[in-house]
PDB file of all heavy atoms in Angstrom:
ATOM      1  N   VAL A  48     -14.622  14.203   8.991  1.00 81.00           N
ATOM      2  CA  VAL A  48     -13.412  13.402   9.148  1.00 81.00           C
ATOM      3  C   VAL A  48     -13.176  13.070  10.615  1.00 81.00           C
ATOM      4  O   VAL A  48     -12.885  11.929  10.984  1.00 81.00           O
ATOM      5  CB  VAL A  48     -12.193  14.162   8.570  1.00 81.00           C
ATOM      6  CG1 VAL A  48     -10.893  13.432   8.926  1.00 81.00           C
ATOM      7  CG2 VAL A  48     -12.321  14.310   7.062  1.00 81.00           C
ATOM      8  N   GLU A 145      14.059  40.514   1.851  1.00 93.00           N
ATOM      9  CA  GLU A 145      13.953  39.531   0.775  1.00 93.00           C
ATOM     10  C   GLU A 145      14.779  38.288   1.078  1.00 93.00           C
ATOM     11  O   GLU A 145      14.397  37.165   0.736  1.00 93.00           O
ATOM     12  CB  GLU A 145      14.433  40.165  -0.537  1.00 93.00           C
ATOM     13  CG  GLU A 145      14.236  39.286  -1.760  1.00 93.00           C
ATOM     14  CD  GLU A 145      12.759  39.070  -2.092  1.00 93.00           C
ATOM     15  OE1 GLU A 145      11.948  39.956  -1.771  1.00 93.00           O
ATOM     16  OE2 GLU A 145      12.428  38.008  -2.655  1.00 93.00           O
ATOM     17  N   ARG A 164      16.555  27.042  28.160  1.00 88.00           N
ATOM     18  CA  ARG A 164      16.972  25.811  27.487  1.00 88.00           C
ATOM     19  C   ARG A 164      18.470  25.589  27.638  1.00 88.00           C
ATOM     20  O   ARG A 164      18.918  24.456  27.866  1.00 88.00           O
ATOM     21  CB  ARG A 164      16.612  25.884  25.993  1.00 88.00           C
ATOM     22  CG  ARG A 164      15.133  25.748  25.715  1.00 88.00           C
ATOM     23  CD  ARG A 164      14.874  25.457  24.260  1.00 88.00           C
ATOM     24  NE  ARG A 164      13.463  25.304  23.983  1.00 88.00           N
ATOM     25  CZ  ARG A 164      12.975  24.854  22.833  1.00 88.00           C
ATOM     26  NH1 ARG A 164      13.798  24.549  21.849  1.00 88.00           N
ATOM     27  NH2 ARG A 164      11.680  24.733  22.635  1.00 88.00           N
ATOM     28  N   ILE A 315      37.907  -6.022  45.241  1.00 94.00           N
ATOM     29  CA  ILE A 315      37.265  -5.609  43.996  1.00 94.00           C
ATOM     30  C   ILE A 315      38.188  -5.933  42.835  1.00 94.00           C
ATOM     31  O   ILE A 315      39.341  -5.491  42.804  1.00 94.00           O
ATOM     32  CB  ILE A 315      36.933  -4.102  44.024  1.00 94.00           C
ATOM     33  CG1 ILE A 315      35.935  -3.812  45.148  1.00 94.00           C
ATOM     34  CG2 ILE A 315      36.376  -3.643  42.681  1.00 94.00           C
ATOM     35  CD1 ILE A 315      35.653  -2.345  45.349  1.00 94.00           C
ATOM     36  N   GLN A 354      20.014  12.606  41.817  1.00 91.00           N
ATOM     37  CA  GLN A 354      20.225  14.045  41.963  1.00 91.00           C
ATOM     38  C   GLN A 354      18.998  14.822  41.511  1.00 91.00           C
ATOM     39  O   GLN A 354      18.564  15.760  42.177  1.00 91.00           O
ATOM     40  CB  GLN A 354      21.450  14.470  41.155  1.00 91.00           C
ATOM     41  CG  GLN A 354      21.756  15.967  41.256  1.00 91.00           C
ATOM     42  CD  GLN A 354      22.970  16.363  40.434  1.00 91.00           C
ATOM     43  OE1 GLN A 354      23.495  15.569  39.671  1.00 91.00           O
ATOM     44  NE2 GLN A 354      23.405  17.604  40.588  1.00 91.00           N
TER      45      GLN A 354
END
Side-chain angles (χ1 to χ4, degrees):
V48 171
E145 186 67 28
R164 287 195 179 190
I315 297 174
Q354 180 180 8

